[in-house]
């Protein structure tokens, strides 16, 4: 159930990415002017980076675990993970990149099997399939995996009353 909520959180965080992916001129150089396609790449990267940063807050709202993982405390908990358990947090980021690369690769093979541009004409249905594969298996799944791992790494805040002096 927690993974399903992480997937829903990732889908909510990456909705702007989906909107951008559905505009062929911004993501496919052969579908329009190359200048627009050159703008689409940085926009996609920026929106995905924003989604990576904001996913704890969104997941905290959709799947709270009091007190360490709510909408208001999830960002601080994630920061604490990155400060105290850096190597495990880096492994979570590498897992995100690995799943993202696998999604990109799957979309590449879909594109090779069924190209979106045939005889200089864009076939939007084929384009849509490629972009949905990228979105679901690249962006959403990678962010869900990252969220689940980071969430598992969050330790409760130590109680200051219980500290030994």
């Amino acid at each position: 159930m927690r993974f399903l909520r992480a997937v829903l959180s990732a889908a909510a965080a990456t909705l702007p990415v989906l909107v951008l992916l559905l505009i062929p001129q911004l993501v496919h150089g052969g579908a329009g002017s190359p200048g627009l396609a050159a703008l689409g790449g940085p926009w996609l990267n920026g929106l995905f980076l924003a989604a990576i940063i904001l996913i704890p807050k969104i997941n905290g709202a959709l799947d709270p675990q009091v007190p360490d993982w709510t909408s208001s405390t999830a960002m601080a908990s994630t920061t604490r993970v990155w400060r105290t358990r850096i190597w495990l947090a880096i492994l979570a980021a590498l897992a995100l990149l690995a799943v993202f690369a696998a999604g990109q690769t799957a979309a590449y093979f879909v594109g090779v099997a069924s190209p979106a541009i045939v005889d200089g004409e864009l076939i939007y249905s084929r384009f849509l399939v490629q972009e949905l594969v990228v979105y679901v298996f690249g962006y959403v799944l990678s962010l869900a995996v990252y969220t689940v791992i980071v969430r598992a790494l969050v330790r409760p805040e130590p109680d200051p009353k219980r500290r030994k002096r």
Side-chain angles (χ1 to χ4, degrees):
M1 193 56 118
R2 179 142 296 157
F3 184 73
L4 178 62
R5 289 189 190 124
V7 168
L8 293 174
S9 301
T14 58
L15 276 178
V17 171
L18 178 62
V19 169
L20 196 63
L21 282 174
L22 296 179
I23 303 171
Q25 292 80 11
L26 290 175
V27 294
H28 200 293
S33 71
L36 283 177
L39 289 175
W43 274 99
L44 278 173
N45 292 337
L47 290 172
F48 187 50
L49 185 60
I52 292 170
I53 293 169
L54 293 175
I55 190 70
K57 188 167 191 68
I58 294 169
N59 186 257
L62 291 177
D63 188 18
Q65 182 179 352
V66 178
D68 289 317
W69 198 265
T70 64
S71 181
S72 59
T73 60
M75 296 291 277
S77 295
T78 303
T79 303
R80 199 169 57 246
V81 166
W82 275 96
R83 286 186 180 157
T84 60
R85 307 178 88 189
I86 185 73
W87 293 110
L88 294 173
I90 289 172
L91 287 176
L94 287 174
L96 176 137
L97 290 174
V99 174
F100 181 75
Q104 294 284 339
T105 304
Y108 167 77
F109 286 124
V110 168
V112 168
S114 176
I117 297 183
V118 176
D119 297 328
E121 197 67 33
L122 176 74
I123 302 170
Y124 193 78
S125 61
R126 291 180 178 183
F127 170 79
L128 183 63
V129 169
Q130 291 173 14
E131 297 307 313
L132 287 179
V133 167
V134 165
Y135 178 70
V136 171
F137 294 110
Y139 291 100
V140 173
L141 190 60
S142 66
L143 220 70
V145 167
Y146 172 76
T147 303
V148 168
I149 293 172
V150 166
R151 198 168 166 161
L153 293 174
V154 171
R155 290 183 181 163
E157 186 69 34
D159 189 13
K161 296 176 189 172
R162 299 174 122 189
R163 277 195 222 167
K164 294 180 180 180
R165 296 175 195 220

